[in-house]
Amino acid sequence: MQAPNTPHNETQRLAALHALQVLDTPKQQAFERMTQLARDLFDVPIALVSLVDKERQWFKSHQGLDVCETSRELSFCAHAIAHDAPLVIEDTLQDERFFDNPLVGDLPHIRFYAGYPLRPTNGMAIGTLCLIDSQPRLFSERDVKLLGSLAGQVEELLRQHQLQAELTRTASHFEALFTKSATAKIRIDHTGIIIGINPFALALLGYVEAELIGQNVAMLTPPNIAAQHDSFISRYIQGGEPTVIGRGREVEALHKSGHHIPVHLAINAIHDDQGAVVEFLGVLTDLTGIYDANRRIRKEENLLKVLHQGITDYQALMSGERLWTFLMEALRELTDSDYALIGEVMPTDTTNALKIHAITDLSWSEESKHLMEQLRSGNMTLTNPNSLLGRVFASGDVIMTNDVYRHTKRGGFPSGHPRIDNYLGVPIFNGGQLIGMFAIANSKQPLNQALLDWLQPFTDTCALLINLYRQMAERDQVMSDLGAARDLAEKANQAKSEFLSSMSHELRTPLNAIIGFSQLLGKARRDPLSDKQQRQVGQIEKSGQHLLSLINEVLDLARIEAGHVPLSIEPILIQNVLDDACSTLEATIEAAGITLTCLPFSEPWYVAADYTRTKQVLLNLLSNAIKYNRQHGTISIAAEALDTELRISIIDSGTGIAIERQHELFEPFNRLDAEHGSIEGTGIGLAITRELVERMQGRIGVTSHPDIGSTFWFTLPITERDTSEEPASAFKSAGANASLQHQFQLLYIEDNPANQRLMEDILEEFSHVRLQTVASAELGLEIMRHSPPDLVLMDIHLPGMNGFQALDIMQQDPQLKHIKVIALSANAMERDRSYGLAAGFKDYLTKPIDIDKLTLTLNHFLYAAAITSRKTP
């Protein structure tokens, strides 16, 4: 038996067959009538519509044959497909291809076969209309043509089948898109009558289907629109300019219960073959969640605005005696309340009293008006501990009621007193001490725990401001007030250490002002400070730098563990790093009364390491050796070569560490109970040190004995000196090079008033620089277009357009793209700096500002600008 050949276009042929979607479908009368007609016309016992699949032939119709498929290997039709032409075998026993085919010797005993290829699509032969007889017979050319005509009818049936399958699928798809869609959809006819609505729309509008089908769609619109709705449709059909159809806009839908639902409505017109509108499909997207979210965002923005203004402008508010009125009015606005008060708790010998700083006018008579004036002036305090107010300022309780007149602690209201429906009284604590309270009444918001929690930042801000108010009342000097505010900020920061790592930007922004202004005050030439003031300013800067180092340590550990700290591995002389580290700690060592000895090295060793990070490792280990040493103790530094490594040891005479706890030393935030003592620290210095050493392919360890001392050691790979090193040249100072005689224009884009004032004070020393400060990128761009500066300092987080967006606009503008821009941001992660430089900033400085680094950077760029100006005719 000869197996049929595989056609050269088999892949395309099978694709065409499967696209018909006919394989394994049930019997269809049209195909059965066609094969019966073929049997009758040609007087044969068997007529088949045979489809040749990859491994089989399947019969769509099989008149005279009981089976519905056979193997393709035995298939006569497969030979017709391979032949790609009508195949007639008048006597199979005389044909060497088929005489031994099992279908010839066994049932159905094929002696005659005639098959005409079926090509319903793309000319691909996917099967045959075939005739089979158990007796040999002749088959004329006329018979072949007649069989071809019948095959053409079968092809048409196959095409119709495919079309019907596609229509069915399209209908199912439409059903899913409309009925099962998770979007509200409504169908109306050209007169506005509802002819279909999906379940999602019914749920959104509160109806059942029977209530809407056959009704005008105007019933789903608010009354002010409903009367005009039909005219919208008719005007569109008559060719008028559409307002919603084909465009979409935000509107309100009318719920069955009567309330309005904000939705986005998109309407599409559906036309017939002649272009006439037959119906409209409306798609409604519920915007309730978005509107609610926007309301919450506006509410949060209002809260943040109040907190920001209260903290940043508190000096101006206090000096103008507007602080408490500002807070009271902000509280009323935030809570939609008619009345509010805010006051300070004054401890007495018997109980707490309340000094009211601001209160909404509740007067209803001349006598009550006089009482309100006394309360506002602070000449009168409240002392009754059993009233709704007293329970708050005397006992520190939160009092919340939505029915004042039924509350057990309500006092009597005099005749004519304005009606009070609800009331919320909130105590203000500072570290467990009750220092004030605020209260609201007749709030249009529900009084509940959610509102109380939402107001917590306001409460905390009030606590801060009450403390600042007390401090400013007790002290005359502004620096003392700033020191107290710094202390409060440090306490708050210590209580939120976990929050530090994710809020570096917010923490660095106020530190920028604290450290920057303290540096300026300490270096003031025009108005030098007294020795006492110098010590106070020095303490402010020292404490600010300490807070910054704690923040940096937490962020540094996170960056190192995440592998985000790039290292510049190069040959470095270890002696230079040791000298640098010891010089940095020289004053600390002297103040602690420690004797430091650096044992002589046998030779000048070079190690493969990052200079800055190696110095950080040494500083961490030496700092610990100083902090945990004895009074008048000793520290020794030694180095020895161990094969390919250099081992550096820091040996101290401290109290030592018990052997059973030495394994805890390098765990983050584990200070081995030292946190209960007087020595400051975060407990992550050694964790950072280990990570840095290991990233530089080194090892670290400790040996220690209680009451004797400890030896902390680390290793680094030994390497050869890089002979290509050249000493770096220093920048020229634009300030010193007065011969250039150029007045520089510097534009500073910064929205924070404190940072603006700081930059103005810093640049007072730059007599050749004219500083212009603006609070937004949009205004900065306008200024650049009209008066291009020599250099731009730009914050990243700005209101409206941010720094990156502004830089992109400058780079696209031929008039502005030549202007150099330096980023100055509190985003201080390494990836922030890398991203900023990649975006096109010429340099990326971080807050808090390092004034020396800023000065060096400005000198460098302004010197370059001066050279360019000098060369330009």
Side-chain angles (χ1 to χ4, degrees), residues 74-146:
L74 305 177
S75 170
F76 282 65
C77 295
H79 285 272
I81 296 299
H83 188 55
D84 199 22
L87 176 63
V88 178
I89 305 161
E90 295 179 336
D91 187 349
T92 57
L93 295 179
Q94 302 302 317
D95 193 317
E96 63 181 7
R97 293 174 296 176
F98 302 104
F99 74 93
D100 56 350
N101 190 304
L103 300 179
V104 175
D106 296 327
L107 290 176
H109 299 293
I110 300 175
R111 290 294 299 280
F112 166 80
Y113 171 87
Y116 202 98
L118 299 173
R119 301 183 179 87
T121 57
N122 301 327
M124 296 289 176
I126 51 88
T128 68
L129 171 63
C130 65
L131 307 174
I132 294 175
D133 200 343
S134 58
Q135 299 296 327
R137 61 184 295 170
L138 298 176
F139 205 70
S140 66
E141 287 295 327
R142 179 178 177 279
D143 292 335
V144 173
K145 290 181 180 180
L146 181 57

Side-chain angles (χ1 to χ4, degrees), residues 517-531:
F517 279 119
S518 63
Q519 289 177 345
L520 283 176
L521 288 170
K523 297 178 180 179
R525 298 177 183 176
R526 298 179 183 176
D527 299 305
L529 301 178
S530 66
D531 291 343

